[in-house]
Amino acid sequence: MDYETIVNCFIGVFIDYKDSNVKHIFVIHDQRNDFNKLVTFLQKCVTEKQRHISYNGLAFDAQITHWMLKNERMLSKLSTEELLKEIYNYAQSVISRHNTNTFLDFAPFQMKIKQIDLFKMNHWDNKAKMSSLKWIQYSMDWQNVEEMPHKHDEAVTDDHTLTSVIQYCINDVLSTKEILKHSKEQIQLRKTLTEEYGIDLFSASEPRISKELFLHFLHEKLGWEKSEIKQLRTPRDYIVLADCILPYVKFSTPLFNGVLDYFRTKVIISTKDKFKYTLDFKGVKVDYGLGGIHGAISSGVYEAKPGWTIMTSDVVSFYPNLAIKNKFHPAHLPKDEFCNLYEWIFEERKKIPKTDPKNYVYKIILNSTYGLTGDENSFLYDPKMTMQITINGQLQLSKLAEMVSFAIPEAQPLMLNTDGFEMMIPEDKVDL
């Protein structure tokens, strides 16, 4: 579904998710007023427990839908001109409040018609992945990518313009339906989780699924109310990095002791502070930061000669394991309960076949939990834990690289990156 709101015209298009021939088109204009038909249709959606599938609908279309349902009696008494003015002004206020991060009138749990917002579900509202419907149309090679043919603040005065806006809206709905086709597995996963845990996750991105389910498990384990847990945070005015480093992290060479000493001298205000330390490890420039380790040999093609092999070493669930094995936890949550729960999720995942969608769910919970420790809007927020994971991760990978270079002096590193590295080594040293 999709709405178009113009200063003197409102258009709503709904197309059945299975049959594109089943269309419902509602127009409010001086030539035609379908308001009562639209409200009747929306009330039928409520009664039949239909879901509305949209692109960014939670922040716009669904707001208008539920505002209309809430104010139906008042709106039905207005003239067409007055009605259009009310709808347009409300639509503009929704856009303005969304753009300024102000709370909207209707949260998803308050909506009588439940939503599937493909924009939010695919996490296209994330700063790094922000994508308009037009960009997604282009990316999936949609047959007709077009901009709105008429400015929203200019009146529609002729049939041709009205028809072109209706066709534009239909095109947007059909392309939204195409996105739905590409999202079937994700929808099914969210349907399964929604039914199992009683939490509406149909529009949830992977990080939100992680947050909601971890909250659910914490609530069950601790017996605390979810509303109480949601308020918890451990903000830090500063973080002494020496306090984050595990006591057993030690090196045998001046090269790596240099980076260890550098970390130990630093105090940061934020996990986003500028921080960089660079060293040369057997011809590979290695950069250390607050987020991870990155290093690669000069650009080129590297091929193992006879008797040699390029060996990839990747640490399984590196960040979750760092937290689990070393008992890292947000300071505001009980250490044993948090760590036991995190380890339980890790062990449960190993029991579930990779073909089972729940395996993937447990994977994203494990991986997203690290990110949530650095998210000010998360109940897991404790930036010191974020630093405990990333700094010890870098140092322990460095320790492994140092151990390999001692045990196999001829080993040539090719790349180091966050949770593993590539080394060129003699084939007879693979077991070592």
Side-chain angles (χ1 to χ4, degrees):
M1 60 80 63
D2 187 40
Y3 291 152
E4 299 300 336
T5 55
I6 301 173
V7 67
N8 75 327
C9 180
F10 170 86
I11 293 163
V13 173
F14 299 80
I15 298 178
D16 187 273
Y17 82 102
K18 288 183 178 177
D19 186 354
S20 293
N21 292 316
V22 180
K23 290 188 182 75
H24 301 273
I25 300 173
F26 303 96
V27 177
I28 304 173
H29 188 247
D30 57 13
Q31 300 176 17
R32 167 182 166 187
N33 189 338
D34 292 336
F35 179 71
N36 290 333
K37 291 180 182 177
L38 172 59
V39 170
T40 300
F41 173 79
L42 295 175
Q43 289 171 339
K44 184 182 177 185
C45 291
V46 174
T47 303
E48 295 182 354
K49 297 184 178 178
Q50 299 279 6
R51 283 186 180 264
H52 284 180
I53 303 163
S54 63
Y55 194 92
N56 200 23
L58 283 170
F60 183 71
D61 310 80
Q63 298 296 317
I64 295 173
T65 291
H66 290 84
W67 173 78
M68 285 181 172
L69 288 171
K70 182 179 179 181
N71 298 284
E72 177 259 330
R73 288 187 181 179
M74 178 273 290
L75 295 170
S76 64
K77 295 175 183 177
L78 301 177
S79 68
T80 300
E81 183 179 352
E82 292 169 332
L83 175 62
L84 285 165
K85 186 176 180 180
E86 288 289 328
I87 295 172
Y88 180 75
N89 287 341
Y90 183 71
Q92 291 306 302
S93 74
V94 170
I95 293 169
S96 175
R97 289 163 71 181
H98 177 65
N99 290 342
T100 55
N101 289 320
T102 306
F103 282 115
L104 300 173
D105 286 337
F106 303 98
F109 72 90
Q110 297 173 306
M111 294 178 178
K112 294 180 179 179
I113 301 172
K114 298 304 178 186
Q115 307 288 313
I116 299 178
D117 188 334
L118 299 172
F119 176 66
K120 283 198 165 292
M121 188 192 77
N122 286 289
H123 211 198
W124 290 327
D125 58 339
N126 174 274
K127 285 183 180 179
K129 298 165 64 176
M130 188 69 71
S131 302
S132 67
L133 179 58
K134 298 297 166 286
W135 178 252
I136 301 302
Q137 287 175 347
Y138 169 75
S139 300
M140 66 182 182
D141 200 21
W142 183 242
Q143 61 199 10
N144 183 20
V145 181
E146 60 176 295
E147 288 294 341
M148 175 71 164
H150 190 81
K151 293 182 178 179
H152 70 87
D153 56 354
E154 293 182 4
V156 173
T157 57
D158 59 85
D159 290 344
H160 173 75
T161 303
L162 179 60
T163 300
S164 67
V165 175
I166 292 172
Q167 290 303 316
Y168 167 80
C169 193
I170 291 172
N171 182 63
D172 275 2
V173 177
L174 288 172
S175 64
T176 300
K177 183 177 173 180
E178 184 66 19
I179 298 170
L180 177 70
K181 288 181 183 177
H182 290 287
S183 307
K184 277 188 176 179
E185 288 184 6
Q186 295 186 57
I187 296 283
Q188 185 57 49
L189 172 63
R190 286 156 176 78
K191 180 176 185 291
T192 300
L193 295 174
T194 296
E195 291 170 351
E196 181 167 350
Y197 295 106
I199 308 166
D200 189 347
L201 296 171
F202 273 96
S203 297
S205 63
E206 290 182 358
R208 192 183 145 227
I209 289 174
S210 173
K211 189 186 293 186
E212 292 289 346
L213 292 186
F214 207 104
L215 174 65
H216 174 81
F217 294 142
L218 269 177
H219 159 70
E220 289 196 328
K221 192 166 188 68
L222 299 174
W224 299 356
E225 291 298 322
K226 288 185 179 181
S227 57
E228 294 175 15
I229 299 173
K230 282 182 177 180
Q231 301 306 313
L232 298 176
R233 309 280 190 280
T234 300
R236 306 272 182 176
D237 293 329
Y238 59 88
I239 302 168
V240 179
L241 297 189
D243 295 342
C244 299
I245 299 170
L246 291 161
Y248 62 76
V249 174
K250 294 181 173 66
F251 292 100
S252 304
T253 59
L255 180 68
F256 288 112
N257 271 319
V259 69
L260 178 58
D261 291 341
Y262 185 79
F263 273 116
R264 283 177 172 161
T265 63
K266 296 300 173 183
V267 177
I268 63 168
I269 305 300
S270 162
T271 57
K272 296 179 175 62
D273 281 2
K274 289 184 178 180
F275 183 101
K276 188 174 180 181
Y277 183 92
T278 303
L279 57 77
D280 186 302
F281 174 50
K282 302 185 80 169
V284 175
K285 180 189 171 193
V286 182
D287 294 322
Y288 295 81
L290 295 180
I293 185 172
H294 302 282
I297 203 164
S298 301
S299 300
V301 177
Y302 294 87
E303 186 175 356
K305 301 170 185 175
W308 287 69
T309 186
I310 296 174
M311 192 164 187
T312 297
S313 304
D314 178 82
V315 187
V316 176
S317 297
F318 191 31
Y319 281 3
N321 264 311
L322 278 164
I324 291 166
K325 302 299 182 188
N326 297 288
K327 303 294 184 183
F328 297 151
H329 66 102
H332 52 270
L333 293 174
K335 177 179 179 179
D336 289 343
E337 285 82 351
F338 174 85
C339 295
N340 290 342
L341 173 58
Y342 206 14
E343 187 166 13
W344 173 80
I345 294 168
F346 179 77
E347 295 298 332
E348 281 296 299
R349 185 193 171 209
K350 291 198 292 189
K351 299 175 187 175
I352 303 169
K354 287 194 174 181
T355 52
D356 187 328
K358 283 189 73 173
N359 179 287
Y360 181 66
V361 172
Y362 279 64
K363 177 182 178 180
I364 62 174
I365 294 174
L366 288 167
N367 291 337
S368 296
T369 299
Y370 151 73
L372 294 173
T373 65
D375 179 359
E376 294 178 359
N377 299 310
S378 165
F379 57 87
L380 296 178
Y381 179 62
D382 183 349
K384 182 179 179 181
M385 180 176 170
T386 312
M387 292 296 92
Q388 286 176 311
I389 291 172
T390 59
I391 290 170
N392 287 295
Q394 294 177 80
L395 293 174
Q396 294 197 56
L397 272 181
S398 300
K399 179 62 180 176
L400 181 57
E402 185 187 65
M403 291 168 69
V404 170
S405 65
F406 266 117
I408 311 171
E410 63 270 47
Q412 173 59 53
L414 301 178
M415 188 187 78
L416 296 87
N417 187 44
T418 307
D419 62 353
F421 51 66
E422 270 75 47
M423 288 269 193
M424 188 153 355
I425 61 172
E427 287 180 345
D428 61 3
K429 300 291 176 64
V430 167
D431 289 343
L432 176 61

